[in-house]
């Protein structure tokens, strides 16, 4: 069953002068039931705007979308009752306690308030349920947002940067919760900059750039379709990197764990070795490795190494 | 959520959010204190006229303007902050349609009005009740005109609060919405617009009485609902050697207040539906 389907979905923000900003440009994606779908893109690529349109808080200016097969306003409203979502920063009433905030959410969702105890337990906030939202740490706020998405036992969970601003332990907690949700058979639509996390968590990804879809597929396909040569040699690593960069057909290179990583086909490995030897560099390590999602993302979006918030 | 159930849930949620908010109780407490202080002196001095039914002229008199302003301020506080905190957006993400969110929030108009007007009426009524000599009282202590005046006050509040509500939803910032609202009911409606109309449209100055805030003044005078109260007022003014103004029929002002309320809430609804959250 198709849970989310967009067709040529577009959003142009109006401007006083000129044509405005085209934040999402004819986006067509498809999310099937049970998928953990990573929605990736650099800052300002249109991820949040796309999710905002799906959730009904941003009006599209072009194209269409279906949620659970419905596309009329009434069908979309009914479909949204089956979604739990959080967008960007957790938004709650600062003067209410964690529990009272969840009571507001439960009433909005028309769900049983008995759910609250369960979701507080899942995110580990039971002991802090009386803490006012304004007194919560960022980690607690993120966990509360996750708890809110789970109220009413939604079939689709949409998370936009759920681990933003968290320390590694917090990120891991969030990742574990997402995995648990996936294990329970939820369809998850996850927008994140944490590419390592996405690679470990998601089954499928879409990569968008300047509002346009540039790649969609399973994580397996996206990463195994590309292999990376890992080259190690005695001596200066930058000299090795410069030499590798001069090899014909090599694009983006990066240094990791004292090795130079470069995308290259299996057939090119011996050629590369010969090329380096011709430069007087003798490889102490030469192997083919599967490309990481981060490498694939860098290559597809042409994003320079270490840019923005990519981690 | 559909129909009456949705209405009930929205109302319960809005009241839950309001009653848990300290700012709401501070505003209400401050107004209650203000009202109490306003009536403390005549109560303690056992002033002539501080009893039922004479008190109604005070309850539904000039000081009614204050309850309208206080309640509208509170309404802005409870509405505009939903945008600053982005909870309006989150409520829609959680499953409310934009229409449901809007109508849920608009329920605050009557709710806040009822609470503040309740305090406004209750405090002097209880104090006057203590000072009332039931044996000496003539006529009905609570005549029908009290309910008419209360309805007029409620409608006056709704029309002025509807403007505050519209500004809250359009500007989406508490401070700015309050500033524009005060600018409108003060310098603009009471100063700038009359000056412009008198200068450029001198034949239409009568319309100025029907602007949102000015329209409420005749609705906030008990003597416009109660013939006996008007006669007492006219006699007092004549006794002071002045000519009393004619009694004003509140009917057109009631209709105008209802029309302003409908128009301003309607504009707020269209604006809210069209804009992104």
């Amino acid at each position: 069953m198709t849970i989310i389907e967009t067709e040529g979905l577009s959003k142009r923000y109006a401007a006083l002068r000129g044509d405005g900003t085209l934040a999402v440009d004819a986006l067509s994606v498809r999310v099937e039931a049970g998928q953990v779908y990573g929605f990736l893109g650099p800052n300002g690529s249109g991820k949040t705007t796309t999710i905002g349109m799906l959730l009904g808080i941003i009006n599209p200016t072009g194209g269409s979308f279906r949620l659970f097969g419905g596309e009329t306003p009434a069908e979309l409203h009914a479909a949204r009752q089956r979604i739990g979502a959080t967008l960007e920063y957790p938004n709650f009433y600062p003067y209410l306690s964690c529990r009272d905030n969840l009571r507001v959410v439960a009433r909005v969702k028309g769900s049983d308030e008995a759910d609250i105890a369960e979701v507080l337990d899942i995110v580990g906030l039971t002991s802090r349920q009386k803490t006012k939202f304004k007194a919560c740490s960022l980690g607690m706020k993120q966990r509360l947002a996750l708890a809110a998405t789970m109220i009413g036992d939604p079939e689709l969970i949409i998370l936009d940067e759920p681990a933003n601003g968290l320390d590694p332990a917090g990120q891991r907690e969030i990742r574990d919760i997402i995995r648990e949700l996936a294990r329970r058979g939820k369809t998850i639509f996850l927008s994140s900059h944490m590419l390592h996390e996405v690679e470990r968590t998601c089954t499928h990804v879409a990569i968008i750039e300047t509002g346009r879809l540039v790649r969609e597929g399973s994580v397996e396909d996206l990463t195994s379709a590309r292999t990376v040569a890992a080259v190690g040699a005695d001596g200066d690593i930058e000299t090795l990197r410069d030499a590798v960069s001069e090899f014909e057909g090599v694009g983006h290179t990066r240094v990791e764990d004292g090795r130079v990583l470069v995308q290259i086909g299996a057939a090119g490995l011996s050629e590369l070795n010969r090329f380096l030897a011709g430069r007087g560099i003798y490889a102490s390590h030469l192997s083919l490795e599967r490309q990481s999602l981060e490498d694939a993302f860098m290559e597809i979006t042409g994003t320079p190494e270490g840019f923005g918030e990519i981690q | 959520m559909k129909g009456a159930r949705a209405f009930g849930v929205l109302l319960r949620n809005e009241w839950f959010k309001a009653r848990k908010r300290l700012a709401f109780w501070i505003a209400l407490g401050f107004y209650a204190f203000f009202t109490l202080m306003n009536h403390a002196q005549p109560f303690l001095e056992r002033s002539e006229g501080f009893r039922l039914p004479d008190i109604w002229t005070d309850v539904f008199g000039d000081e009614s303007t204050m309850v309208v302003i206080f309640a509208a301020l509170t309404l802005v506080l409870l509405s505009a902050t939903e945008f600053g905190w982005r909870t309006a957006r989150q409520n829609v993400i959680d499953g409310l349609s934009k229409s449901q969110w809007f109508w849920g929030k608009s329920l605050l108009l009557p709710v806040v009005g009822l609470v503040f007007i309740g305090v406004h009426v209750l405090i002097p009524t209880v104090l006057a009740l203590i000072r009332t000599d039931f044996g000496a009282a003539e006529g009905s202590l609570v005549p029908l005109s009290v309910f008419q005046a209360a309805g007029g006050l409620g409608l006056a509040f709704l029309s002025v609060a509807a403007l505050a509500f519209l500004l809250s939803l359009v500007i989406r910032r508490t401070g700015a919405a309050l500033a524009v609202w005060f600018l409108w009911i003060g310098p603009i409606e009471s100063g700038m617009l009359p000056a412009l109309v008198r200068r450029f449209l001198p034949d239409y100055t009568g319309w100025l009485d029907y602007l949102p805030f000015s329209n409420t003044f005749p609705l906030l005078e008990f003597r416009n609902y109660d013939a006996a109260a008007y006669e007492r007022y006219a006699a007092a003014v004549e006794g002071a050697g002045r000519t009393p103004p004619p009694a004003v029929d509140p009917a057109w002002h009631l209709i105008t207040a209802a029309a302003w309320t409908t128009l301003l809430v309607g504009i707020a609804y269209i604006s809210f539906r069209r804009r992104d959250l």
Side-chain angles (χ1 to χ4, degrees):
Chain A
M1 182 191 181
T2 304
I3 305 291
I4 299 174
E5 189 175 9
T6 72
E7 282 180 15
L9 191 63
S10 301
K11 174 67 181 181
R12 181 181 291 279
Y13 287 106
L16 290 176
R17 292 179 182 176
D19 291 339
T21 307
L22 187 60
V24 178
D25 186 5
L27 186 71
S28 299
V29 296
R30 204 178 164 95
V31 180
E32 301 292 337
Q35 288 182 349
V36 181
Y37 193 96
F39 194 50
L40 313 178
N43 286 336
S45 58
K47 302 186 297 295
T48 300
T49 301
T50 302
I51 296 173
M53 288 189 282
L54 296 175
L55 295 173
I57 59 168
I58 295 173
N59 301 317
T61 51
S64 63
F65 65 93
R66 280 180 284 281
L67 296 173
F68 295 95
E71 63 179 331
T72 65
E75 288 170 343
L76 288 173
H77 179 56
R80 288 184 185 120
Q81 304 287 321
R82 300 160 71 181
I83 299 173
T86 179
L87 200 58
E88 296 179 303
Y89 196 79
N91 301 313
F92 291 98
Y93 296 94
Y95 60 94
L96 291 181
S97 68
C98 293
R99 187 180 185 86
D100 282 343
N101 268 299
L102 293 180
R103 287 175 75 183
V104 172
V105 176
R107 285 178 185 167
V108 166
K109 292 187 171 182
S111 107
D112 194 342
E113 289 191 19
D115 281 1
I116 294 172
E118 187 187 346
V119 297
L120 280 169
D121 185 47
I122 291 172
V123 300
L125 280 180
T126 303
S127 61
R128 305 297 300 274
Q129 58 180 297
K130 289 183 180 171
T131 305
K132 286 195 170 21
F133 180 70
K134 63 185 171 191
C136 289
S137 67
L138 181 58
M140 285 171 67
K141 289 175 179 176
Q142 293 281 24
R143 282 189 280 164
L144 183 65
L146 260 181
T149 65
M150 287 186 261
I151 284 183
D153 197 23
E155 294 158 67
L156 168 63
I157 292 177
I158 297 178
L159 303 169
D160 185 23
E161 302 292 350
N164 235 2
L166 295 183
D167 59 20
Q171 290 174 19
R172 183 172 184 155
E173 275 183 44
I174 298 291
R175 189 180 69 223
D176 289 344
I177 294 169
I178 293 170
R179 282 181 171 170
E180 173 61 19
L181 291 169
R183 197 187 58 76
R184 293 181 180 199
K186 308 289 182 196
T187 305
I188 297 172
F189 189 85
L190 172 68
S191 160
S192 177
H193 277 130
M194 314 284 184
L195 298 179
H196 293 300
E197 303 301 320
V198 170
E199 187 170 358
R200 288 181 205 177
T201 315
C202 294
T203 57
H204 293 74
V205 292
I207 298 174
I208 67 167
E209 192 178 21
T210 58
R212 290 184 183 178
L213 180 71
V214 288
R215 197 64 55 91
E216 186 184 26
S218 71
V219 173
E220 182 71 22
D221 289 346
L222 209 65
T223 53
S224 63
R226 292 168 174 76
T227 46
V228 174
V231 188
D234 295 335
D236 180 38
I237 192 75
E238 286 303 322
T239 306
L240 173 62
R241 183 178 186 169
D242 291 343
V244 170
S245 299
E246 288 172 14
F247 183 59
E248 192 179 343
V250 161
H252 171 70
T253 61
R254 68 188 171 93
V255 175
E256 187 178 294
D257 298 335
R259 303 173 307 165
V260 175
L261 301 180
V262 57
Q263 195 201 327
I264 190 171
L269 205 57
S270 57
E271 290 297 322
L272 175 62
N273 196 15
R274 192 174 300 120
F275 174 80
L276 291 174
R279 296 291 182 101
I281 298 172
Y282 298 98
S284 60
H285 175 94
L286 194 57
S287 65
L288 274 178
E289 295 179 1
R290 201 179 79 162
Q291 190 184 34
S292 69
L293 184 62
E294 182 178 353
D295 292 324
F297 179 89
M298 297 292 189
E299 186 197 325
I300 291 166
T301 61
T303 307
E305 198 173 3
F307 91 112
E309 292 177 41
I310 295 293
Q311 293 172 34
Chain B
M1 285 196 297
K2 282 183 180 173
R5 185 175 172 275
F7 189 80
V9 169
L10 295 172
L11 184 61
R12 269 205 319 155
N13 237 3
E14 287 307 321
W15 176 239
F16 178 75
K17 289 187 280 184
R19 75 180 168 83
K20 289 273 184 176
R21 192 149 174 210
L22 186 61
F24 171 75
W25 294 109
I26 289 174
L28 186 64
F30 191 79
Y31 185 71
F33 181 72
F34 169 82
T35 307
L36 194 64
M37 289 298 103
N38 214 18
H39 295 285
Q41 190 183 358
F43 173 76
L44 294 172
E45 291 177 354
R46 298 171 180 269
S47 298
E48 183 73 13
F50 195 82
R51 58 175 179 252
L52 293 177
D54 300 344
I55 192 72
W56 302 123
T57 308
D58 290 339
V59 172
F60 301 106
D62 292 340
E63 65 189 62
S64 303
T65 309
M66 288 307 291
V67 73
V68 169
I69 291 175
F70 261 90
L73 283 175
T74 307
L75 185 76
V76 173
L77 203 65
L78 296 177
S79 306
T81 45
E82 292 266 7
F83 298 97
W85 294 332
R86 297 191 131 192
T87 41
R89 166 183 170 139
Q90 188 62 43
N91 288 167
V92 173
I93 289 172
D94 289 338
L96 287 185
S97 66
K98 284 172 93 173
S99 292
Q100 284 176 330
W101 190 91
F102 178 87
W103 294 117
K105 194 53 70 180
S106 67
L107 289 174
L108 282 178
L109 268 88
V111 169
V112 170
L114 275 174
V115 170
F116 274 81
I117 291 173
V119 166
H120 173 79
V121 173
L122 202 65
I123 290 175
T125 304
V126 169
L127 293 177
L129 209 56
I130 296 169
R131 292 284 180 255
T132 300
D133 178 357
F134 292 95
E138 291 177 12
S140 171
L141 295 180
V142 188
L144 181 66
S145 51
V146 168
F147 298 99
Q148 293 170 330
L153 172 57
L155 209 48
F157 162 73
L158 285 179
S159 62
V160 176
L163 178 64
F165 186 59
L166 167 66
L167 293 171
S168 300
L169 266 61
V170 170
I171 297 172
R172 298 182 173 186
R173 287 170 198 271
T174 310
L178 283 176
V180 174
W181 185 72
F182 271 118
L183 271 178
W184 177 268
I185 67 169
I188 295 176
E189 196 179 308
S190 306
M192 199 177 80
L193 271 176
L196 287 171
V197 171
R198 284 189 198 106
R199 173 78 177 80
F200 298 107
L201 301 163
D203 295 339
Y204 295 93
T205 51
W207 290 97
L208 293 169
D209 294 340
Y210 294 92
L211 290 172
F213 194 55
S214 308
N215 178 66
T216 63
F217 299 150
L219 298 177
L220 304 178
E221 292 292 353
F222 185 65
R223 62 176 182 267
N224 290 332
Y225 304 92
D226 190 285
Y230 177 76
E231 281 170 20
R232 285 198 300 274
Y233 165 75
V237 173
E238 279 168 355
R242 288 180 283 124
T243 308
V248 178
D249 181 356
W252 276 110
H253 291 281
L254 286 168
I255 293 169
T256 307
W260 275 123
T261 306
T262 308
L263 178 72
L264 295 169
V265 171
I267 294 171
Y269 177 68
I270 292 166
S271 160
F272 183 73
R273 281 293 305 270
R274 287 171 61 98
R275 287 176 64 188
D276 294 334
L277 277 172

